[in-house]
Amino acid sequence: MPRRLLTLTAAALMAAAAVIIPAAPAVAAPTFKVPFPCGQTWSGQTRTNHSPPNSIDFNRTNDVDDPVVASASGTVDRVTDLGNTSYGKYVRINHGGGYHTYYAHLNAFRVSVGQTVRHGTVIGTVGSTGGSTGPHLHYEQRLNGADIRIRFNGTLALYWGTRNYTSDNGCGSGSTAPGTVRTAGTPLTVRSGPGTGYASVGTLATGTNVTIHCQTTGTSVTGTYGTSNIWNRIGSGRFIADAYTYTGHSGFIPGVPRC
Ligand SMILES: [Zn+2]
């Protein structure tokens, strides 16, 4: 068979194939993760009288102002305060393919509209705003505007009832942040835990660059960047006070998990 004829046949087949491929194939769901930092365990409740019905309400002990993180990468498209009604302060993230997640009754916002987020990015804190009778996170997954049954890592949540969900959100690499030690000249003491009461495990000169793996709260320290009780874990059993760490953020760093 002449080569030219082969080419034409292939082109004809490709054209035919192009016609029968659906114009808008279904998009796979994003890999949604539990909307709390890596390693945390939260009690999640579903119930038939919930609005909308497939939502989950998350709780744990003393959860007011605990950080809430993005379930998956996307773009924040709503940061809205409905006052004392409905969701109160809520964030919506657009994950593409028609998928959105909702985070409601927040006490505080940590993102703004248009911001790109990824797994584990802190978007706000747990509260009791809107039509809420106690602190919790109201969480939804939606497809094309309709609430859908929630899945984490592809596994269906419990419908109906209450169970614990442990987060692996932001556990991997890519959720660290760079920092730089800044003191007036005295070397900064590295501690074995998040506080001045923990053992000294070394010192770092001002100007030293560090990698922050996670952040937590501990002893309040007054340093180069004011007073803060945030401590940065820069290695295994190695913590430094955020008050002496330049991170480009005041307070917790978006995307860096809590220890
Ligand atoms: Zn709810």
Side-chain angles (χ1 to χ4, degrees):
M1 197 183 279
R3 186 165 181 269
R4 179 180 158 80
L5 184 56
L6 263 175
T7 306
L8 282 171
T9 305
L13 280 170
M14 285 170 70
V19 170
I20 59 168
I21 291 171
V27 176
T31 300
F32 292 120
K33 292 181 178 292
V34 174
F36 298 103
C38 173
Q40 293 185 0
T41 298
W42 286 70
S43 173
Q45 184 199 62
T46 59
R47 55 184 190 273
T48 52
N49 64 351
H50 210 167
S51 177
N54 294 322
S55 315
I56 295 184
D57 281 348
F58 282 105
N59 275 104
R60 70 173 189 172
T61 307
N62 297 327
D63 51 13
V64 176
D65 265 341
D66 281 352
V68 174
V69 307
S71 263
S73 58
T75 305
V76 175
D77 66 357
R78 281 188 201 165
V79 177
T80 302
D81 185 353
L82 297 175
N84 292 327
T85 64
S86 184
Y87 291 150
K89 289 181 177 171
Y90 78 101
V91 168
R92 189 177 79 169
I93 299 173
N94 182 350
H95 303 282
Y99 288 93
H100 287 91
T101 50
Y102 285 68
Y103 311 80
H105 309 308
L106 301 174
N107 208 29
F109 297 126
R110 293 284 186 264
V111 287
S112 48
V113 170
Q115 187 174 330
T116 299
V117 295
R118 59 187 177 181
H119 280 119
T121 301
V122 177
I123 60 155
T125 67
V126 172
S128 186
T129 57
S132 168
T133 53
H136 70 284
L137 176 71
H138 172 99
Y139 172 81
E140 298 174 25
Q141 294 175 359
R142 293 194 184 216
L143 176 58
N144 299 325
D147 77 305
I148 55 175
R149 290 203 166 182
I150 289 165
R151 289 176 183 272
F152 295 120
N153 294 326
T155 301
L156 190 65
L158 174 64
Y159 289 92
W160 310 92
T162 301
R163 59 155 283 195
N164 285 337
Y165 297 86
T166 298
S167 173
D168 68 344
N169 196 340
C171 295
S173 59
S175 52
T176 62
T180 305
V181 174
R182 292 286 178 211
T183 71
T186 313
L188 179 64
T189 303
V190 182
R191 301 283 177 177
S192 64
T196 51
Y198 287 88
S200 167
V201 291
T203 59
L204 293 173
T206 186
T208 303
N209 292 318
V210 295
T211 298
I212 299 168
H213 298 272
C214 62
Q215 298 182 293
T216 188
T217 54
T219 314
S220 192
V221 170
T222 299
T224 311
Y225 299 106
T227 299
S228 171
N229 65 351
I230 297 173
W231 285 72
N232 302 318
R233 189 169 76 76
I234 59 169
S236 179
R238 293 170 63 79
F239 289 81
I240 58 173
D242 194 56
Y244 286 108
T245 314
Y246 176 76
T247 63
H249 300 270
S250 62
F252 287 111
I253 306 166
V256 172
R258 297 296 87 77
C259 301

